[in-house]
Amino acid sequence: MVRPTVRGARVGGAKTADRGPGARVRKPHLHYYLIPATLYLVALSLFPLIQLFRLALSDVTPANLHGDWNFVGLSNFIQGFTVGDLGSSLVRTLVFVVFVTLLGMVGGAAAAIALRDSGRWSSWLMALMVFVWALPPVINGSVWKFLLAQDGLANLVIRAFGSSGFPFLYSETFALASIAFVNAWALIPFNALVFRASILGIDSEVFEAAQIDGAKPSQELRYILLPLMKPTALVLLVLTIVNAFRSFDFIYVMTRGGPGASTQTLPYLSFQQAFVSYDFSGGAATSVLALLLVLILAAVYSKAVLKEEE
C-alpha cells in the first residue's frame, strides 16, 4: 500500500513548505554570503584608516610615536602647502596622471583596434602584451632605467644618428615625462585587452551591414567602434586614472624622486616624509590628500559601473 504524501506537515513545530516534483528550492540571497567578507574587509581597513587620519591631525614624531599624540587640526595640511612640497607635488601628480591617462587610453585603444582580428599573429602579440603587463613594476622599472640611462640603449641609438644623447632620467624637465611614459607603457597591454574584449563583443553583422552600405574603415571607426566602445572606455578611464594616482614603484626604482624633486608625486612624497624624514604627521597628511582624490575617482567609477549595468 502506498502511503499518501503529507503536504504542509509540521517538523519540530514549524510547517514545512509544499515541495512537489516541480517546486523550486529557495536559495539564500547573495547578500548573505557577502556580509562576512564585508565585515572582514572593514575590520582590516577601518582601523588603519582611523589611525591615518589621527596621524594627519596630530603632531607625531619619533619621540611621542608610542605616547600621546597632540591634536593640531589642519596644521599639517596648511604647513604642507605653505612651507612644504605638498602643493608642488600635487601639481606634478596631476601632470603625471594626465600624461599616463592620455597615452595609456589612446595606446590601448589603438592596439585593440589594430589587433581586433583573430589570427595567429594577433594571438602572439596579445600573449606578449599580457607578459609585459604581468611583469612586476620593479622589474619593468629596472629594465627601463637601464634602457634610458646616459649610456643605455636608447642613447646609443640616438648617438648613432650623430646626436649627443638625451637626459631622459637626469633632467628636471624630462624625468617626469620619461617615468610617465614607462608607466603608460606598462598600462597599455591591460587597456588593450579590455578594449579588444569590448570590440569582439560587437556583433559581426553590424560590420557586414556597414561594408554593404559602402562604409570606409575610417567611418566604421568613427560611427561603430568608438560609440560602442564608449561604456568600456569610461570605466577603463577611471581605472587608469586611479592607477596613475597611486603609482610609486616606477618612481622609486628609476629616480627616487629626483633629480631634485622633479619626480616627487604624492605617494612618493608621503613615503619620503614618513620613512626617510620621520615626519609621520606630514606623511599622513599627504597620504590623506591622495586618499581623498582616489575616493572621489572611486565614486565616479562606481557611478559609471552602475550606469553601464542599467
Side-chain angles (χ1 to χ4, degrees):
M1 180 177 180
V2 180
R3 295 183 179 180
T5 57
V6 180
R7 305 177 66 86
R10 292 184 177 273
V11 178
K15 186 177 180 180
T16 59
D18 295 338
R19 293 182 180 177
R24 295 182 179 180
V25 180
R26 294 186 62 184
K27 296 182 179 180
H29 198 275
L30 182 60
H31 291 168
Y32 293 112
Y33 298 104
L34 294 178
I35 290 175
T38 303
L39 293 176
Y40 179 74
L41 291 175
V42 169
L44 290 181
S45 60
L46 188 59
F47 178 73
L49 285 176
I50 293 175
Q51 290 295 92
L52 178 65
F53 277 90
R54 284 189 60 207
L55 273 171
L57 300 175
S58 305
D59 181 17
V60 183
T61 63
N64 67 338
L65 179 61
H66 300 288
D68 295 331
W69 296 354
N70 299 322
F71 180 79
V72 294
L74 299 177
S75 297
N76 293 317
F77 295 93
I78 297 173
Q79 186 176 1
F81 279 107
T82 56
V83 181
D85 298 327
L86 191 56
S88 56
S89 294
L90 177 59
V91 173
R92 281 191 291 269
T93 303
L94 295 176
V95 173
F96 181 84
V97 168
V98 169
F99 193 98
V100 172
T101 302
L102 288 177
L103 189 58
M105 292 294 294
V106 173
I113 293 172
L115 300 174
R116 64 173 176 167
D117 296 329
S118 298
R120 179 179 299 178
W121 290 107
S122 297
S123 301
W124 280 104
L125 288 175
M126 293 304 297
L128 179 61
M129 295 178 73
V130 171
F131 172 75
V132 170
W133 171 67
L135 281 176
V138 174
I139 297 177
N140 258 334
S142 300
V143 171
W144 277 101
K145 183 179 181 180
F146 171 75
L147 293 176
L148 300 179
Q150 199 66 35
D151 296 325
L153 180 61
N155 274 319
L156 289 178
V157 174
I158 293 175
R159 291 192 186 99
F161 291 93
S163 179
S164 58
F166 198 80
F168 292 102
L169 303 176
Y170 308 98
S171 169
E172 294 186 359
T173 305
F174 302 108
L176 186 65
S178 300
I179 296 181
F181 168 80
V182 174
N183 203 321
W185 178 85
L187 285 175
I188 284 176
F190 174 76
N191 292 353
L193 288 172
V194 177
F195 275 128
R196 186 169 184 265
S198 175
I199 293 174
L200 294 179
I202 302 174
D203 193 345
S204 59
E205 294 181 357
V206 177
F207 296 102
E208 294 175 0
Q211 293 174 359
I212 293 175
D213 292 338
K216 299 179 181 178
S218 59
Q219 293 174 324
E220 288 185 8
L221 175 64
R222 180 177 179 182
Y223 296 107
I224 299 177
L225 281 176
L226 293 182
L228 294 179
M229 289 168 59
K230 186 178 179 181
T232 303
L234 180 60
V235 175
L236 198 58
L237 175 65
V238 180
L239 288 177
T240 304
I241 293 175
V242 171
N243 193 295
F245 255 111
R246 64 181 182 85
S247 179
F248 170 83
D249 314 78
F250 290 106
I251 296 174
Y252 180 80
V253 172
M254 297 178 67
T255 62
R256 299 292 179 94
S262 59
T263 59
Q264 200 171 71
T265 57
L266 288 178
Y268 191 85
L269 175 63
S270 176
F271 165 80
Q272 189 79 14
Q273 290 173 319
F275 300 106
V276 177
S277 302
Y278 299 107
D279 181 12
F280 300 116
S281 298
T286 304
S287 298
V288 167
L289 179 61
L291 176 63
L292 293 176
L293 293 174
V294 173
L295 285 177
I296 294 173
L297 293 173
V300 175
Y301 169 69
S302 300
K303 186 177 180 181
V305 171
L306 291 175
K307 184 177 180 180
E308 185 180 4
E309 289 179 352
E310 292 175 357

